[in-house]
Amino acid sequence: MDKKNIGKIKKQMKLANEGLPEKERVLFSDARPTSVTPLNKYLEKFLNWAQSQSLWFISFGTGCGSTELRPLMTSRFDIFKYGIAGKPTPRQSGVFIIGGYASMKTIKRIVRSYEQMQGPKFVIALGSCTINGGMYYDSYNTINRIDYYIPVDVYIAGCMPRPEAIIAGFNRLKEKIKAGECDGMNKYAENFDWYKKNQKKVIKDWNMPDFNW
């Protein structure tokens, strides 16, 4: 693509993508996320019920943060019988589980993964370290509140929460989805500039698109 066309496309951009080299800016999304308006009452209620019965999740665990997720797949807890299954990539997943502390470096991967997920999408903060920094709350490189950077729909406190607590958290998520109360994705779109401002405060090497879809 020649420089003339690059310049023309740049003028039409809604997001600057300033962290990327100039020649790469046109290769990524420049559109801001938009909130989704609910459909009519009954159809929305049916869709919410269907969504709650089929939750595909991807986990982002650091250190001991994801230790208790593994037993969920065993015959003892058999999370599949609850309509819940793990997936290998963000684009295949509707639920994002963040377990363990988030550092200044890992928050970058968390933001990218969250933005690559298709909607409707939900976030579970698993464990005290994720929610408020836990024992690392005063560390120079630890994120104290994950919900300053991406929206969180359900918090599961503990260090570490047992598999029973994680299942209870999934059940709470299902209740909120059916009630139409999981609007984190819309909250992210509506407060996009606030989230980006917080993210860019801690991510010093911002070499990625402003919106990673």
Side-chain angles (χ1 to χ4, degrees):
M1 188 173 293
D2 59 41
K3 290 185 178 179
K4 185 178 179 181
N5 285 335
I6 292 176
K8 184 178 179 182
I9 293 174
K10 278 179 63 180
K11 287 181 181 178
Q12 298 171 349
M13 281 184 171
K14 297 176 183 176
L15 293 174
N17 289 332
E18 291 175 339
L20 296 171
E22 186 173 338
K23 64 179 181 181
E24 293 184 9
R25 292 181 190 176
V26 295
L27 303 177
F28 293 90
S29 170
D30 62 350
R32 302 171 67 89
T34 55
S35 58
V36 178
T37 304
L39 303 173
N40 73 66
K41 179 181 176 181
Y42 299 103
L43 182 56
E44 187 69 19
K45 191 174 181 181
F46 170 74
L47 293 175
N48 287 341
W49 170 83
Q51 179 68 42
S52 71
Q53 301 304 305
S54 181
L55 297 176
W56 293 359
F57 74 88
I58 185 169
S59 64
F60 190 102
T62 59
C64 58
S66 58
T67 302
E68 298 294 345
L69 282 171
R70 305 298 177 261
L72 294 176
M73 314 297 177
T74 64
S75 57
R76 179 178 179 185
F77 296 101
D78 189 16
I79 200 170
F80 304 104
K81 68 185 176 188
Y82 299 104
I84 302 166
K87 289 293 172 184
T89 72
R91 295 188 191 279
Q92 294 175 294
S93 309
V95 181
F96 193 17
I97 302 177
I98 304 166
Y101 65 88
S103 71
M104 299 293 185
K105 288 187 176 179
T106 56
I107 190 65
K108 185 177 182 179
R109 276 69 190 180
I110 290 172
V111 169
R112 294 204 73 170
S113 299
Y114 175 73
E115 292 183 346
Q116 287 177 6
M117 293 170 64
Q118 299 184 73
K121 54 187 175 183
F122 316 101
V123 176
I124 294 177
L126 176 64
S128 300
C129 288
T130 308
I131 297 170
N132 58 20
M135 65 170 63
Y136 306 104
Y137 76 95
D138 59 349
S139 172
Y140 69 95
N141 68 341
T142 302
I143 300 299
N144 282 344
R145 289 195 57 171
I146 191 69
D147 55 4
Y148 276 13
Y149 307 96
I150 59 172
V152 175
D153 296 288
V154 171
Y155 299 86
I156 304 176
C159 181
M160 279 300 297
R162 286 187 50 79
E164 293 91 334
I166 300 174
I167 292 173
F170 269 111
N171 287 335
R172 176 60 182 147
L173 179 64
K174 288 183 175 185
E175 292 173 3
K176 292 186 70 174
I177 293 172
K178 283 190 278 190
E181 296 174 354
C182 282
D183 60 348
M185 188 180 71
N186 281 347
K187 183 180 176 184
Y188 191 73
E190 292 163 2
N191 300 284
F192 187 68
D193 292 331
W194 182 79
Y195 282 108
K196 283 296 149 189
K197 183 180 176 183
N198 292 341
Q199 293 165 7
K200 290 184 178 181
K201 275 184 183 177
V202 297
I203 301 174
K204 303 304 181 185
D205 55 337
W206 187 276
N207 57 348
M208 60 183 185
D210 289 326
F211 186 54
N212 293 272
W213 175 240

